[in-house]
Amino acid sequence: HKIKDFDPDYRAHFDNDDVIGFDLYSGDDKIGSVDDVLVDDNGAFRYFVINTGLWVLGKKVLMPIAQGRIVYADRRVYANNLSKSQVESLPE
């Protein structure tokens, strides 16, 4: 489920913070940005929906939550050593 569909007031659980719109980086390379978050039937985070922008021709892919690290102060999600070829092979 898209997080907004699962809980329209989801930001209230995170001190009104939101990872949607955060930039996604692998090392020093900007991969894209977080378009959405997918949760399971219990509301547990499962995937980031990543818009790869120009890095992989505007493709939207699913990246497992465990593969990223959220840094609210930077407004970024850092992928754990994700290469361009790995991004290209992520499911759309």
Side-chain angles (χ1 to χ4, degrees), residues 24-25 31 34 36 38 46-50 60-69 77-80 82 87 90-91:
L24 177 70
Y25 277 79
I31 295 173
V34 179
D36 214 329
L38 300 183
R46 294 294 178 210
Y47 295 96
F48 293 110
V49 178
I50 303 300
K60 287 189 181 180
V61 296
L62 299 179
M63 185 181 91
I65 292 290
Q67 192 149 9
R69 180 175 49 89
V77 175
Y78 292 95
N80 300 327
L82 197 61
V87 170
L90 289 172

Side-chain angles (χ1 to χ4, degrees), residues 16 18-19 22 48 53 61 64 68 70 79:
N16 290 318
D18 196 350
V19 298
F22 279 22
F48 293 110
V61 296
I70 301 168

